[in-house]
Amino acid sequence: MNPTTPAVTPHPTQEITTRTDTREILANARRDIQRYRLDEYFIVDVDSHHVELDSWPDIIARIENPVLRDSGQQMIKNWPGADRTALGTFTPGMTAQDVGGRILHQAALAEPVTETAVHRDVTLVRRAMDSMSIDIQVVFPQPMLEIGLHPRPEVATQLLMAYNEWFTETILGDEPRIKTMLGLPFENPEASLRTVRKYADHPGVIGFLVTSQRSVGVHRNEYMPLYAELQERGMPLGFHAGPNQNDSMTSTMNKFLSAHAISFVTCNMTHMTNWVINGMGERFPNLKVIWIESGLAWVPFMMQRLDHEYQLRQSDAPLLTKMPSDYMREMYYTSQPLEITDLGLLESTFRAVDAEHSLLYSSDWPHWDFDVPGRIMNIPFLTEQAKRNILGENARKLFNL
């Protein structure tokens, strides 16, 4: 360094903890509102999260089965820490998401909330929405999205049904900008169908989810009444991927990075393959399907791979009347995590999926790898109309907002 060059002066940096205010964490996103004129856009965030464990005793109290409900309440009463874990399951390795304690805000949303007129989760969602200029935010739980990995399917069903009742009655009623796609107790087809019929007319429910499921084939005949019901009601079906370091594919991986990169993708790749090759697009042509939180880089690969195999073995997929990739282009995809490492590859991916008409912006807030709306505004090859479509207009049409 030139001796005449002044030394760099270190400045204090803010430490982001579990108690840091959402509005401080998203300070740069607030600046994006003016930089990109985001207040002139209709923005729908199709994937965000709240922390349902903060209200776990209230959820346990809504369990329908009286024996299981009492068991959960006894756990909360007698076991330290069970007020956030009773009857649940926890995926090993997921605590590695805080990057050795450097990114803590997902570990717990413990920031101070003084407002008392609404549930604190509503206040926290409003803070995030206002900081990112989001008009509609689709809110999901966090650990409950791993419910498909629960070792006891009957418990998973009861927990998810209790959560859905609590969320629709406690959170959705106080803020019309908050919407949700409710998780289906997918291990139980009858309970899934009952869930759709119970909540489809709720003004805050705009669709339903299959969450982090690995063990059930989505093409099985017992699910056909569920898909028919969703199609008849015009309610989209989302597949929300989830991480797992215990899959046969990821169990040999010794790094969280590896399992995180692969397991989110293989989760949805499996369902996508079964959905397309078994002709669900032909059987339910008007059912809108969304692939959530698995990025986009895997989609062109699947298009090419399935097209190639189909050309060689069309007799294995007798219901198909067109190439597998054609069915995939009729589906919807959420943007997060958007793999912007090679703009040429990204542009090809956008073209392959017809992103201008199929891609839905999602933040995945408050997860450690969330994407703000500026992520879309910064893509140089997108037209102005494409940006508007991805940020909100595609979702407006899909969900009839």
Side-chain angles (χ1 to χ4, degrees):
M1 184 174 67
N2 188 321
T4 62
T5 303
V8 175
T9 303
H11 293 282
T13 56
Q14 179 190 21
E15 178 185 8
I16 294 178
T17 73
T18 58
R19 295 184 60 79
T20 304
D21 193 293
T22 292
R23 293 163 291 191
E24 295 181 31
I25 298 173
L26 292 173
N28 287 331
R30 292 186 70 89
R31 283 191 280 271
D32 281 350
I33 296 174
Q34 181 176 2
R35 180 183 306 154
Y36 297 118
R37 307 188 320 277
L38 292 177
D39 54 351
E40 299 176 12
Y41 289 72
F42 178 65
I43 301 179
V44 181
D45 181 357
V46 180
D47 180 16
S48 68
H49 304 270
H50 76 118
V51 182
E52 75 277 15
L53 296 187
D54 292 341
S55 304
W56 200 239
D58 296 333
I59 295 170
I60 293 293
R62 292 175 181 264
I63 289 177
E64 186 177 52
N65 183 297
V67 175
L68 190 63
R69 181 175 63 247
D70 182 69
S71 178
Q73 290 175 329
Q74 291 299 323
M75 289 180 189
I76 291 173
K77 177 181 177 181
N78 298 317
W79 285 84
D83 59 338
R84 297 175 63 86
T85 61
L87 299 177
T89 185
F90 189 75
T91 305
M94 289 304 101
T95 49
Q97 293 190 95
D98 67 4
V99 196
R102 295 191 295 276
I103 303 177
L104 285 175
H105 67 271
Q106 181 185 334
L109 298 184
E111 62 192 82
V113 172
T114 58
E115 297 90 333
T116 59
V118 296
H119 192 281
R120 77 182 305 273
D121 286 8
V122 175
T123 298
L124 296 179
V125 172
R126 284 172 173 171
R127 290 179 181 179
M129 293 178 69
D130 294 343
S131 295
M132 292 186 279
S133 193
I134 290 171
D135 296 284
I136 300 290
Q137 192 157 44
V138 183
V139 178
F140 304 140
Q142 292 202 55
M144 287 290 285
L145 285 180
E146 298 170 19
I147 201 70
L149 303 175
H150 201 291
R152 295 177 60 191
E154 71 281 5
V155 176
T157 294
Q158 289 286 315
L159 284 174
L160 196 49
M161 294 176 72
Y163 167 81
N164 287 342
E165 180 180 288
W166 172 84
F167 186 82
T168 53
E169 293 182 6
T170 307
I171 304 299
L172 287 186
D174 290 320
E175 174 52 78
R177 297 182 299 165
I178 298 177
K179 308 293 183 183
T180 195
M181 298 176 70
L182 288 179
L184 295 170
F186 203 67
E187 297 84 358
N188 186 324
E190 187 278 329
S192 295
L193 184 59
R194 182 154 52 103
T195 298
V196 172
R197 289 173 174 170
K198 180 176 181 179
Y199 295 108
D201 294 329
H202 191 292
V205 177
I206 59 175
F208 295 88
L209 290 178
V210 177
T211 66
S212 64
Q213 181 57 246
R214 262 89 165 162
S215 60
V216 177
V218 300
H219 59 291
R220 286 166 41 178
N221 283 335
E222 53 262 45
Y223 291 107
M224 299 307 112
L226 170 66
Y227 303 148
E229 185 84 15
L230 288 168
Q231 178 175 253
E232 182 179 349
R233 291 176 175 272
M235 303 293 285
L237 175 66
F239 289 89
H240 192 296
N244 185 18
Q245 208 158 350
N246 289 332
D247 283 345
S248 58
M249 181 176 291
T250 57
S251 60
T252 61
M253 295 179 178
N254 65 335
K255 301 292 184 181
F256 175 79
L257 181 158
S258 306
H260 193 266
I262 297 300
S263 63
F264 273 94
V265 177
T266 54
C267 179
N268 273 346
M269 288 172 69
T270 298
H271 297 322
M272 170 75 81
T273 301
N274 280 331
W275 188 271
V276 172
I277 298 304
N278 287 281
M280 297 299 102
E282 288 292 334
R283 299 185 68 174
F284 305 100
N286 296 319
L287 176 57
K288 304 302 182 183
V289 177
I290 313 167
W291 303 92
I292 302 172
E293 202 170 328
S294 49
L296 293 176
W298 61 282
V299 183
F301 161 75
M302 290 293 292
M303 287 179 168
Q304 294 184 79
R305 189 68 179 170
L306 292 182
D307 282 357
H308 172 77
E309 294 292 327
Y310 175 68
Q311 288 179 319
L312 298 176
R313 299 180 64 91
Q314 294 184 27
S315 60
D316 279 355
L319 292 180
L320 273 58
T321 62
K322 51 193 175 185
M323 298 293 280
S325 61
D326 292 327
Y327 295 100
M328 293 176 67
R329 290 187 185 91
E330 295 172 349
M331 300 177 182
Y332 294 84
Y333 306 86
T334 60
S335 61
Q336 200 282 333
L338 196 57
E339 303 100 340
I340 303 183
T341 56
D342 183 316
L343 283 176
L345 284 176
L346 184 67
E347 186 170 10
S348 296
T349 300
F350 271 45
R351 183 171 60 252
V353 302
D354 187 22
E356 182 171 350
H357 303 103
S358 70
L359 189 59
L360 311 168
Y361 165 71
S362 63
S363 71
D364 200 32
W365 171 264
H367 291 174
W368 62 281
D369 55 344
F370 69 93
D371 289 339
V372 297
R375 189 81 158 161
I376 301 299
M377 298 299 294
N378 248 339
I379 299 176
F381 56 78
L382 289 180
T383 65
E384 172 67 16
Q385 188 58 53
K387 293 176 181 178
R388 290 187 177 275
N389 287 354
I390 293 168
L391 285 174
E393 296 304 326
N394 290 339
R396 189 201 298 270
K397 295 176 183 178
L398 172 63
F399 295 112
N400 297 315
L401 297 174

